[in-house]
Amino acid sequence: MKSASISGDVAATGAARAARNDDDDSSTGTQPGLVGEARDDLHRFAKNHENDPNLPAEKMHAVRDALARNDTKEMAETDALLCENSPYEEVRAAVRNTDGGEVANTVRAWILGMVFVTLGAGLNMFLSMRNPAIAFQAIIIQLLVYPIGCFWARVVPMRKFSVLGVEWTFNTGPFTIKEHTVITLMANVTFGYAYSTDALLALQGKPFYDRNLGWGFSLLFTLSSQLIGISFAGVFRRFLVWPAAMLWPAQFSSTTLFYALHDRGSSDATANASGWQMSRYSWFCVAGLGMFLYYWFPAVIFQGLAVFSFPTWIKPDNVVVNQLFGGYSGLSLLPITFDWTYVTAYLANPLLAPTLSHVNTLIGLFCFILLPIMGITYTGALWSKYLPLVTSQVYDNTQNAYQVNKILGPGFTFDEKGYKGYSPLFLTPALALNYGLSFAALMSTLVHTGLNHGKEIWHRFRSSRNQEPDVHLKLMKKYEEAPDWWYMALFLVSLALGLITVLAFDSQLPWWAFFVSLLLALVFMIPSSMILAVSNIVISLNVLSAFLAGFIIPGRPIGVMIFKVFSVITLGQAQTYSGDLKLGHYMKIPPKVTFWCQVIPTIWAVFVQIAVMNWTLGNIENACDNRQKDHFTCPNGRAFFSSSIVWGVIGPQRMFGVGGMYSHFNWFWLGGAALPVIFYLLVHKAGIKFFRYFNAPIMFGSMAWLPPATPLSFSSWAIIGLIFNKWIHNRWNGWWSTYNYITASALDAGLILSTVVIFFAITFPGVPVPQWWGNVAVQNTRDATFTAILKTVPKNGTFGPETW
């Protein structure tokens, strides 16, 4: 049974009032000024949500009917209903439409937040240099800090102090939900280790470039690259945070967990939860503990559960079977996994994403990955019969991993003679498509946003905080907004630090290329963040930045790395900070507090991470070497080094330029621009409203991680998402509204805690897993060993073109 929706209330109200005349309305005492305001609100709502795929059609019909009938009472009541709660069921299920007015900016929150930022940022930096790596997620801090905060509230004296006329205390009373949110915001923006450290490891590591430009360079480079994106997010918050349509679904697991922890009684379970009476807190504990215990099976006891490709177990040496049904290097046409890490590894938790994302991801996977890979492979195009189907590894013409050292001259320059005598670079079908789809995703993002949201963006630019009715924006208006000049000042300071980085050191990056890298991020800031805000799908510059840098500064591999960092992480930080601003918006954190609890921890985390990185390089013997005894092999730095050689030394011109082996993939630029236009024309010119749910940026952009991801992760993600957010949502709507997002939090928390325990108990000390069929034989397939290849090169033979 579905719960009553706002649209139902609005529609019913409209039907009941339709026959009434204006005299009846005036008799009720409706004020003309309020009616005019309601009419303006509804006009803004209709204009801004015209192409909103997450807004159910009946809600828009109710608004348009009220405006068309011009019934003053109906308009006033419709406007009131929209102002009382969010028009989106997902938001209503995860966020309360009230503000308790609790204290947020306390000494306690800052002490706990900065302690956990120091520990988390340092540990994540240290462990990221090991293979396999492990990362502590912010949800761990969200869980750990709650009992610590409550204990603090019980034992620390409430004595008040006064410094320069400012009164403060270590204990303001009970640990509040807003303090909890402030600490989580600090963790969110700092727990992902700074992206620039990957480039610094490639630069300083002895097996790589072995060039140390000093602490000054490391700090300036990292500070500037981390802070510029934060300033961008603040400047564009009127487009990405304030509008109700910018849902930011990733925040729903955090908001529901806050409420579950701070309201642990059964009263937080609503009466219509499809017969369930368990509190969200109790359900979180049960589901989280269940996942913690369960994950030991696919991770340790029966690893075959992770990639349950049973056809390959039956025919382990059949190449075609392994190509079609394999989950490691194959297409996973029977996508079965019992490992939550495979489901959530690349597109995050499927329970958080809307159905729009699940459907478009499946369409993109089928149309742009599975069918093209089969077509490329079984026709033999691009020498694909000599290569695996799905892997990010690049190959030479002997079917071995490409050895970049064979094409390098003195000073990491390109050795033309060595290249001619060695081999061209071969991409697997999935990797080649990954580059093409990345081109298409970025072009489609620009075109889609321009066609469907161009007028809305211009309207929001002019209206500032005078947006359409939204209860959360209304509640936030009582707090003073962080001034725009704060964000502009932060931008100018971080811009100056970036210029010093590229001009005062041997960075190989000209000043004009530095500005191009920032301009690239700026161009995609609003379009990509809007896609992320409505779909939970990340559109990244990871491919385009290196591709473009290879064209504009050829032969400068270090410059290519630095260009890539500035463009990728500027956009990435802007997206992260925009999401955090929305979390603060939902939890009613004063904007000025949100600003400082993001900027100060970010600056501090930079110093922590650079110190940890330099200590590790200087004190762990043979750090970054492939044979390092404790596995501190710097996998991310190694990948950055190889990428810089491919794009900065070999260069995109030889692969994607005129006459290059992969030049045809440049057609993806045109395809990415054309598909949103086709969908737009089908909806707005042909009148086929069904196509309003087709989203080209999601179809292309959701494939950005494939490879290193495999189709198994994407298909299982979409299927599980549809089970929860379509089937369960429609059949047991009460249960979904009450428990869906807390289930997402519980599964992620249980998985992360279990992963950490397994890492330190088994992986780190090298304890062997049980050696039985379920852990051994399932790995002895052509799919798992990446040897599902149609043709094998004879001994001392090669494949590919005769000249290159």
Side-chain angles (χ1 to χ4, degrees):
M1 180 181 69
K2 292 187 179 182
S3 60
S5 65
I6 288 179
S7 59
D9 294 337
V10 173
T13 301
R17 307 290 183 188
R20 298 190 180 184
N21 56 32
D22 291 340
D23 290 335
D24 292 331
D25 294 330
S26 61
S27 68
T28 64
T30 304
Q31 300 178 18
L34 294 178
V35 172
E37 182 179 342
R39 183 184 291 107
D40 291 343
D41 281 345
L42 296 182
H43 275 299
R44 283 196 297 269
F45 186 93
K47 180 184 296 184
N48 291 334
H49 295 265
E50 181 180 2
N51 298 307
D52 186 351
N54 289 319
L55 186 73
E58 63 268 17
K59 289 182 170 61
M60 183 61 75
H61 292 329
V63 172
R64 286 176 173 164
D65 288 346
L67 290 171
R69 285 192 282 264
N70 200 30
D71 185 310
T72 56
K73 179 169 287 188
E74 182 181 351
M75 287 190 293
E77 292 189 4
T78 302
D79 181 55
L81 285 169
L82 290 173
C83 288
E84 287 172 6
N85 212 333
S86 172
Y88 301 94
E89 186 178 10
E90 299 88 344
V91 179
R92 298 198 301 275
V95 184
R96 293 176 180 172
N97 60 338
T98 57
D99 179 8
E102 301 90 347
V103 64
N105 190 27
T106 67
V107 173
R108 174 170 57 199
W110 277 96
I111 292 175
L112 291 176
M114 294 302 285
V115 167
F116 278 110
V117 164
T118 304
L119 293 174
L123 276 173
N124 278 345
M125 182 67 247
F126 180 72
L127 294 174
S128 74
M129 298 174 68
R130 192 182 185 276
N131 190 23
I134 187 173
F136 288 90
Q137 305 287 338
I139 193 174
I140 294 181
I141 302 309
Q142 190 176 1
L143 290 172
L144 289 179
V145 80
Y146 176 70
I148 296 174
C150 292
F151 179 74
W152 182 308
R154 285 177 176 269
V155 302
V156 174
M158 300 180 68
R159 178 184 172 187
K160 294 183 179 181
F161 302 88
S162 181
V163 176
L164 299 176
V166 178
E167 192 175 80
W168 59 276
T169 177
F170 285 110
N171 188 354
T172 54
F175 184 59
T176 70
I177 195 170
K178 290 193 179 183
E179 289 179 286
H180 200 170
T181 303
V182 165
I183 296 169
T184 304
L185 287 171
M186 294 183 189
N188 281 347
V189 81
T190 57
F191 262 45
Y193 63 90
Y195 189 62
S196 63
T197 57
D198 289 347
L200 290 171
L201 287 172
L203 193 63
Q204 295 179 215
K206 292 188 183 298
F208 312 135
Y209 289 110
D210 193 18
R211 294 179 63 181
N212 191 342
L213 298 180
W215 277 72
F217 174 80
S218 299
L219 290 171
L220 290 170
F221 180 33
T222 307
L223 281 170
S224 57
S225 59
Q226 292 289 97
L227 293 175
I228 293 174
I230 293 179
S231 65
F232 280 4
V235 170
F236 294 118
R237 65 196 184 281
R238 59 174 45 83
F239 310 112
L240 304 173
V241 178
W242 297 344
M246 300 294 104
L247 305 181
W248 292 95
Q251 308 306 329
F252 296 157
S253 63
S254 295
T255 58
T256 51
L257 183 54
F258 285 134
Y259 298 135
L261 292 174
H262 289 267
D263 184 9
R264 293 184 290 168
S266 59
S267 60
D268 73 330
T270 58
N272 68 336
S274 301
W276 281 44
Q277 293 298 319
M278 183 181 294
S279 71
R280 288 187 178 96
Y281 176 78
S282 298
W283 173 240
F284 173 83
C285 293
V286 170
L289 178 62
M291 174 55 75
F292 177 87
L293 297 174
Y294 169 78
Y295 183 61
W296 285 78
F297 286 90
V300 178
I301 299 170
F302 183 8
Q303 294 177 343
L305 292 171
V307 180
F308 203 80
S309 50
F310 65 89
T312 68
W313 303 346
I314 299 171
K315 296 286 187 180
D317 293 316
N318 187 299
V319 171
V320 175
V321 168
N322 279 260
Q323 285 183 332
L324 295 179
F325 299 102
Y328 292 101
S329 60
L331 300 181
S332 302
L333 295 186
L334 286 176
I336 304 175
T337 178
F338 299 95
D339 186 344
W340 193 241
T341 58
Y342 265 83
V343 177
T344 62
Y346 298 97
L347 297 181
N349 196 308
L351 278 65
L352 301 178
T355 299
L356 165 83
S357 300
H358 303 133
V359 172
N360 281 278
T361 296
L362 281 179
I363 294 172
L365 179 67
F366 182 76
C367 295
F368 304 126
I369 291 291
L370 299 182
L371 290 181
I373 286 180
M374 286 189 281
I376 291 171
T377 300
Y378 298 119
T379 60
L382 303 176
W383 308 97
S384 56
K385 290 188 176 183
Y386 294 91
L387 301 166
L389 269 62
V390 183
T391 174
S392 56
Q393 179 66 59
V394 291
Y395 291 86
D396 63 17
N397 55 13
T398 65
Q399 294 181 311
N400 291 307
Y402 202 87
Q403 301 179 49
V404 295
N405 61 302
K406 290 188 175 183
I407 62 166
L408 296 178
F412 298 97
T413 57
F414 182 65
D415 182 356
E416 182 80 27
K417 184 178 179 181
Y419 176 69
K420 294 291 187 183
Y422 174 42
S423 170
L425 191 74
F426 291 94
L427 307 178
T428 63
L431 185 56
L433 283 169
N434 175 271
Y435 289 124
L437 291 173
S438 295
F439 303 155
L442 293 168
M443 285 302 298
S444 66
T445 298
L446 292 177
V447 176
H448 171 89
T449 304
L451 288 174
N452 293 283
H453 303 289
K455 293 180 180 178
E456 174 191 343
I457 291 172
W458 175 245
H459 168 71
R460 295 193 190 281
F461 175 76
R462 299 177 61 190
S463 62
S464 186
R465 289 191 102 185
N466 187 27
Q467 309 271 342
E468 76 274 359
D470 172 55
V471 63
H472 302 292
L473 182 60
K474 179 182 177 181
L475 290 171
M476 284 297 289
K477 284 184 177 180
K478 76 176 184 180
Y479 298 110
E480 189 175 354
E481 185 61 47
D484 284 340
W485 72 263
W486 283 12
Y487 291 103
M488 292 304 301
L490 179 66
F491 170 71
L492 292 175
V493 170
S494 52
L495 181 68
L497 296 179
L499 278 172
I500 295 172
T501 300
V502 301
L503 294 176
F505 299 89
D506 185 17
S507 66
Q508 293 189 355
L509 186 69
W511 65 267
W512 57 266
F514 167 69
F515 281 106
V516 171
S517 70
L518 298 185
L519 181 62
L520 187 65
L522 183 63
V523 167
F524 287 97
M525 171 67 203
I526 292 179
S528 67
S529 298
M530 291 184 79
I531 296 297
L532 176 59
V534 301
S535 69
N536 214 31
I537 298 295
V538 177
I539 306 292
S540 173
L541 294 174
N542 193 48
V543 170
L544 178 62
S545 58
F547 180 86
L548 181 61
F551 271 111
I552 67 175
I553 49 172
R556 301 185 183 189
I558 294 174
V560 168
M561 283 198 311
I562 295 175
F563 182 100
K564 180 178 179 180
V565 167
F566 274 117
S567 57
V568 170
I569 200 56
T570 293
L571 180 59
Q573 278 289 87
Q575 292 170 337
T576 298
Y577 186 67
S578 295
D580 287 343
L581 283 175
K582 192 68 175 188
L583 177 59
H585 188 84
Y586 282 146
M587 300 304 297
K588 314 304 176 290
I589 306 299
K592 289 185 176 181
V593 176
T594 303
F595 175 87
W596 291 114
C597 78
Q598 298 279 52
V599 172
I600 292 176
T602 297
I603 294 173
W604 172 244
V606 167
F607 285 88
V608 172
Q609 291 173 340
I610 296 301
V612 170
M613 183 193 73
N614 283 328
W615 181 90
T616 306
L617 291 175
N619 291 275
I620 292 184
E621 185 179 3
N622 298 322
C624 295
D625 191 282
N626 251 339
R627 296 177 295 277
Q628 207 282 327
K629 62 177 182 177
D630 296 315
H631 307 291
F632 283 91
T633 58
C634 308
N636 298 320
R638 186 176 303 278
F640 232 89
F641 171 73
S642 299
S643 174
S644 69
I645 295 298
V646 169
W647 296 108
V649 177
I650 298 177
Q653 183 66 40
R654 290 182 175 84
M655 293 186 290
F656 294 93
V658 177
M661 191 184 307
Y662 303 100
S663 59
H664 294 300
F665 284 84
N666 286 309
W667 286 103
F668 278 85
W669 294 102
L670 181 60
L675 192 58
V677 176
I678 294 172
F679 289 156
Y680 184 84
L681 293 176
L682 288 171
V683 173
H684 294 277
K685 301 301 181 183
I688 309 176
K689 299 301 182 183
F690 172 73
F691 282 98
R692 73 189 288 260
Y693 300 106
F694 283 59
N695 190 300
I698 298 177
M699 292 180 187
F700 294 130
S702 60
M703 301 296 111
W705 288 103
L706 201 159
T710 66
L712 175 63
S713 288
F714 291 80
S715 51
S716 60
W717 178 87
I719 291 169
I720 291 175
L722 288 172
I723 290 173
F724 275 87
N725 289 348
K726 187 62 177 178
W727 183 55
I728 293 178
H729 170 271
N730 289 348
R731 182 152 187 170
W732 297 287
N733 186 263
W735 187 97
W736 182 91
S737 298
T738 306
Y739 298 110
N740 182 69
Y741 293 120
I742 198 64
T743 302
S745 293
L747 296 179
D748 285 348
L751 175 67
I752 293 167
L753 292 174
S754 185
T755 301
V756 170
V757 172
I758 291 171
F759 177 81
F760 286 108
I762 294 177
T763 307
F764 192 81
V767 176
V769 299
Q771 298 297 296
W772 69 291
W773 176 87
N775 285 344
V776 178
V778 295
Q779 306 294 334
N780 295 327
T781 66
R782 285 189 173 270
D783 166 55
T785 56
F786 291 82
T787 56
I789 301 172
L790 291 173
K791 290 185 177 181
T792 302
V793 173
K795 187 176 181 179
N796 298 323
T798 61
F799 74 94
E802 295 182 0
T803 59
W804 54 89

